[in-house]
Amino acid sequence: QTMGILDALFKQGVGGYHRNYDPRVHGFYSPDRNYGCTDTRLLETKVKDLPAWLGRRNYNPIAICQAIGRAYWRYNLRWISPKNIGAPLLAQACFFPMFIWYVVKYDEHAAEAHSKYH
Amino acid sequence: LFSGVDYFFFNFSVFQGIFLIVSSFWILYIFFFNYFLNFGLSYLIYNIFFSVFSAGQDLSSNNFKGWFYFMWGFFLIVTWSNFCGLLPYVYGVTTNFYFVLFFSLWGWTCLIISSFIWNMVGFVSHFCPLGAPTLLGWFLSLVEVVSVGIRPGTLTLRLVANMTTGHILIGLITLSSCYLFFNSYFLSFVCLIFLFFYLVFEVAICFIQGNVYFMLFQSYTSEHL
């Protein structure tokens, strides 16, 4: 019997909980946690151990997409979902296009501070 | 403080602008469309957007319900670009006539072609108003054809003119505040207070212009088909 696309993806770990997730051990499921990783965190890794740390990473495209999903949920649960979010969210939304356009238009405004006539 | 004081002329390709704006409007979904919550800023903004969403759905014709989702994307792009145009160093892409014309012409052409293919006789007969006198029928049909034909132009010009006027006024007020600073501190401060309230008004204009753009497109679907 031929295997469907969804079944093939499910075998790769797409969809459903992580195979290492156990509600008796981890409690409620949290989408921002990596249940399959027991390695040290990036900011806690020594510089001399960094090449080895990078070699142990999983560069499978599915794993990269899952990491992006976890990053989204980390941002969501920290800045969007809480009850009183307030101004930082709007400030970030304003800073993002400002930074991009500052870089894009840098050649035009780089000499403004030093120009003789404004 | 704001981009209205920036007198540099920005020459860039329209495709760069489209890429930058479309790649940034996903922020709206991340920031403001968390509709699982019943409190907070997300709830307030979600309610505002949902009122526009439901009003737009009511306006569209019964045979053309799927068009609404294209127009919803236009609304998000236009509203977000309008708001970004007020920020420092950001080029307001909706002040570019050709950028807005791209969306208007695309949407209008799709509606015309779709209604023409769906019901050619109904599409052509729509140009003659009901109850028109026989002698004036030809003239009124001509007027209707012209009014339908300039719709992409009016949609574009309305948005571009509103945004450009807002940016020019912001620049003039800040310029006057700068010049007054060397003569009278009090008048310069009064100008800045006026600028603050005008900026709040301009943020509302950004949303209203996007709303008008979206609602007009939805009303055009009720005329065709």
Side-chain angles (χ1 to χ4, degrees):
Chain A
Q1 193 174 11
T2 55
M3 195 189 295
I5 294 171
L6 292 175
D7 294 331
L9 285 171
F10 191 77
K11 273 209 162 186
Q12 291 292 324
V14 178
Y17 295 129
H18 197 274
R19 54 176 65 93
N20 292 353
Y21 169 71
D22 188 359
R24 292 169 295 181
V25 173
H26 301 111
F28 287 114
Y29 182 76
S30 182
D32 59 341
R33 270 185 66 180
N34 189 352
Y35 291 101
C37 183
T38 55
D39 207 346
T40 54
R41 300 181 64 160
L42 176 62
L43 292 175
E44 293 165 5
T45 313
K46 302 268 188 275
V47 175
K48 61 176 182 175
D49 300 330
L50 196 58
W53 187 90
L54 287 170
R56 289 195 296 271
R57 295 302 99 207
N58 184 4
Y59 294 102
N60 194 4
I62 293 171
I64 292 172
C65 293
Q66 288 169 342
I68 293 168
R70 286 194 298 274
Y72 164 75
W73 277 109
R74 263 198 303 277
Y75 187 85
N76 192 335
L77 293 171
R78 173 65 183 89
W79 294 109
I80 305 171
S81 298
K83 192 171 183 178
N84 300 314
I85 47 175
L89 191 61
L90 189 64
Q92 289 168 13
C94 293
F95 175 76
F96 178 69
M98 279 165 61
F99 176 74
I100 285 181
W101 285 95
Y102 182 91
V103 169
V104 170
K105 289 176 72 177
Y106 184 76
D107 290 338
E108 289 191 17
H109 65 74
E112 185 183 3
H114 309 292
S115 61
K116 189 175 179 183
Y117 302 107
H118 293 268
Chain B
L1 290 174
F2 287 84
S3 63
V5 200
D6 188 3
Y7 287 111
F8 293 108
F9 291 99
F10 191 86
N11 295 319
F12 73 118
S13 78
V14 176
F15 299 105
Q16 279 181 3
I18 290 170
F19 170 75
L20 281 166
I21 292 299
V22 170
S23 63
S24 63
F25 87 92
W26 58 270
I27 286 169
L28 276 173
Y29 281 99
I30 290 175
F31 287 148
F32 301 127
F33 292 162
N34 200 340
Y35 47 82
F36 294 111
L37 301 175
N38 290 324
F39 42 77
L41 185 66
S42 298
Y43 182 62
L44 173 69
I45 292 171
Y46 170 71
N47 266 315
I48 294 170
F49 276 74
F50 185 74
S51 63
V52 176
F53 192 87
S54 54
Q57 276 185 325
D58 295 336
L59 263 181
S60 63
S61 100
N62 285 326
N63 294 331
F64 221 41
K65 289 287 187 192
W67 182 250
F68 166 76
Y69 296 102
F70 280 115
M71 292 300 107
W72 183 245
F74 279 8
F75 168 72
L76 294 174
I77 288 170
V78 166
T79 310
W80 185 244
S81 321
N82 289 344
F83 176 72
C84 287
L86 295 173
L87 300 171
Y89 295 108
V90 182
Y91 177 67
V93 193
T94 43
T95 58
N96 193 331
F97 181 81
Y98 300 105
F99 179 80
V100 182
L101 187 67
F102 173 78
F103 292 105
S104 313
L105 207 55
W106 182 88
W108 175 83
T109 311
C110 286
L111 278 175
I112 294 290
I113 291 173
S114 172
S115 59
F116 187 78
I117 292 170
W118 183 261
N119 188 357
M120 185 162 49
V121 174
F123 172 71
V124 173
S125 64
H126 175 74
F127 289 115
C128 189
L130 282 172
T134 316
L135 289 172
L136 282 177
W138 64 274
F139 179 69
L140 291 172
S141 304
L142 197 62
V143 169
E144 283 291 316
V145 167
V146 169
S147 77
V148 170
I150 62 169
R151 270 176 186 169
T154 55
L155 282 169
T156 311
L157 271 175
R158 183 183 298 109
L159 180 61
V160 169
N162 270 288
M163 290 298 112
T164 312
T165 309
H167 291 179
I168 289 169
L169 272 172
I170 290 168
L172 289 173
I173 294 167
T174 46
L175 199 63
S176 68
S177 179
C178 290
Y179 278 121
L180 284 169
F181 184 78
F182 298 103
N183 293 328
S184 165
Y185 295 149
F186 176 71
L187 287 175
S188 175
F189 183 69
V190 166
C191 247
L192 282 176
I193 296 294
F194 183 71
L195 174 66
F196 171 75
F197 287 110
Y198 186 78
L199 281 168
V200 172
F201 169 73
E202 195 62 32
V203 170
I205 288 289
C206 294
F207 179 80
I208 287 165
Q209 285 301 316
N211 194 21
V212 164
Y213 194 86
F214 168 67
M215 291 297 184
L216 280 173
F217 252 123
Q218 286 297 102
S219 69
Y220 296 158
T221 59
S222 62
E223 287 189 9
H224 302 290
L225 291 170

